[in-house]
Amino acid sequence: MFMRTPDRMILSRRTFLGGTAGSALLAALPSRSAQGVTQGATHDYRLALDTASAPLVGGTYPATDIWAYNGTVPGPEIRVPQGSRLRVAVENKLAEATTVHWHGIRLPNAMDGVPFLTQTPIEPGDSFVYEFDVPDAGSYWYHPHQRSFEQVGRGLYGPLIVEERSPIQVDRDATWVLDDWRLQPNGQISGDFGDFRDIAHGGRIGNTVTVNGRVPDTFAVRQGERLRLRLINAANARIFGLDFAGHHPMVIAIDGQPVEPHAPAGGLVVVAPAMRIDLVLDFMGQPGQRSAVADRFYERGAYHLLDLVYEPEPLRQASLITPIALPSNTMPEPDMAAAETHAITFDGGMMGGLISAMMDHQRVSPQEMMRNNMAWSVNGVVATGHTMEPMLSLRRGQSTILALNNETAWHHPIHLHGHSFRVISRNGRPTAHREWQDTVLMAPRDKVEIAFVADNPGGWMFHCHILEHQAGGMSGVIHVA
Ligand code: C2O
Ligand code: CU
């Protein structure tokens, strides 16, 4: 895979603080939010959006002003059983409008949280109640879909876990919500959201990486322990490629959907923005051992993320040998013989070959796009805030193949709302696992085919999840009726 170096170096807490690293253990998120109240099969949560502050860097470093759900980053974990109903009352105390998108959940269109397409935005001081069933188990997340390049970038996101009816046997279930931030020397977020250089290049890459809202030091484990680790990438633009040196992570789910358990290709667990990877890790090191987890996705941007630290007491001598394959979810299987194929081409960005594109029904040059802070097109159209006419209309129940063609010099994690799809081929070769995903990472010049049954009626966003690319035009609507 061709990897581009980010233009900013990672600051660890050590370099950030000039050598006064703390050593607090990275705390796992609480397994159930205090706000969650179980009521039969409907689970009620309350999310209030407001400004807050968080000790992202920690130690003696000043807290960072953020925007948050219920005052914390990540926002509270929502955890519900598969097949139950989730009801979330959202109250907007911010000074700007918002919506909440439940990324990866196959829900009714009116609950999808896309401003102007599925609902009017939630204005400051207003509330909105989302209510829907959760058909599939897995790791999901929630985030705003209104000016998401800034709202997500300032800290608005949280994990949404749907529990299997019959889970696999593990000793611990932990979530690492990965993010990066562009912090100034005073620890505050740099306000240059929507900068055109970020839009036209690889998006807003930060200089400070956090796990569950903290620059991490260590993560405690025990010899013999089996961990289910849910990785959620909430960053605007950074792609992670985690190397658990000396350990053998097994991938058991991608974007919440079960996959045949397998070791990650090349030993790197790649998690692009908005993607989730569930791992099973069996810790077979010795008590007291420390072992580094590094992020090596970018060629010259590798850095040390944290240390796994073995506690003095082993949990057991030999690892568990119980099965780690997850039970299947409920997506209908696309009928490949009857499937209709539609080509979708992504163009634009720096070092691309875009000559012109349609923007607000007018043919424009790349220079004209740039004057409007736009840089990307999908099938020749630059999506502005007003582009909500469908780029593609599908008949409900139609088995569909989308042949995606990345004509750009950049990576793009492409996300479809309301459905999960199988990734069936990459550059002409069938994929090893026909993975179900809702966000597929395309490398520069990649050709990827995805297949799904268009079974969920409504208008669904189809966009790059590098949030600056989305804002810069790399977005469209697929309509199912
Ligand atoms: Cu996670 Cu359209 O978004
Ligand atoms: Cu992109």
Side-chain angles (χ1 to χ4, degrees), residues 199 201-203 346 376 406 408 410-414 442 463-470 474:
I199 289 175
H201 294 85
F346 301 92
W376 307 93
N406 178 7
T408 80
W410 302 88
H411 281 89
H412 305 288
I414 303 295
M442 303 186 76
H463 65 88
C464 181
H465 221 290
I466 289 180
L467 299 175
E468 291 71 29
H469 292 179
Q470 178 189 3
M474 197 173 242

Side-chain angles (χ1 to χ4, degrees), residues 105-113 118 131-133 456-457 460:
I105 303 278
R106 300 189 304 126
L107 41 58
N109 194 249
M111 295 293 120
D112 199 40
T118 71
E131 183 172 355
F132 50 87
D133 295 330
N456 200 353
W460 301 104

Side-chain angles (χ1 to χ4, degrees), residues 67-289:
W67 296 354
Y69 292 111
N70 296 1
T72 65
V73 66
E77 180 189 74
I78 295 177
R79 183 176 277 258
V80 292
Q82 181 178 9
S84 66
R85 194 164 182 81
L86 175 59
R87 184 162 56 205
V88 187
V90 175
E91 192 187 349
N92 182 12
K93 298 181 183 171
L94 291 175
E96 63 178 62
T98 193
T99 62
V100 186
H101 172 56
W102 313 92
H103 185 115
I105 303 278
R106 300 189 304 126
L107 41 58
N109 194 249
M111 295 293 120
D112 199 40
V114 178
F116 309 111
L117 183 66
T118 71
Q119 69 172 99
T120 52
I122 312 168
E123 294 296 331
D126 281 359
S127 297
F128 188 89
V129 179
Y130 294 90
E131 183 172 355
F132 50 87
D133 295 330
V134 286
D136 301 306
S139 306
Y140 304 91
W141 65 300
Y142 58 90
H143 64 79
H145 220 283
Q146 166 90 352
R147 298 186 65 252
S148 47
F149 63 93
E150 177 161 1
Q151 294 194 1
V152 176
R154 287 192 183 275
L156 290 168
Y157 55 78
L160 167 49
I161 308 298
V162 182
E163 293 174 333
E164 290 87 17
R165 293 195 177 92
S166 40
I168 56 168
Q169 189 191 346
V170 296
D171 297 305
R172 189 155 53 121
D173 183 331
T175 302
W176 289 1
V177 186
L178 307 168
D179 192 9
D180 73 344
W181 309 74
R182 189 176 288 174
L183 296 186
Q184 299 170 322
N186 65 0
Q188 299 309 312
I189 297 171
S190 163
D192 55 347
F193 289 99
D195 183 280
F196 186 73
R197 282 164 304 180
D198 294 331
I199 289 175
H201 294 85
R204 181 183 173 94
I205 300 284
N207 55 13
T208 305
V209 170
T210 56
V211 176
N212 297 341
R214 301 284 180 278
V215 173
D217 286 323
T218 59
F219 184 82
V221 303
R222 295 176 74 185
Q223 183 183 30
E225 182 181 31
R226 173 170 283 179
L227 173 71
R228 175 174 182 169
L229 182 58
R230 304 170 188 261
L231 303 172
I232 301 175
N233 185 350
N236 282 31
R238 177 180 295 277
I239 304 167
F240 291 85
L242 299 189
D243 176 355
F244 292 82
H247 293 83
H248 303 282
M250 294 294 282
V251 177
I252 60 165
I254 304 177
D255 292 349
Q257 308 308 321
V259 66
E260 186 188 325
H262 62 275
L268 271 201
V269 181
V270 174
V271 200
M275 286 186 66
R276 290 85 64 211
I277 301 284
D278 285 35
L279 300 175
V280 165
L281 278 152
D282 286 309
F283 293 106
M284 293 317 296
Q286 298 302 312
Q289 180 182 319

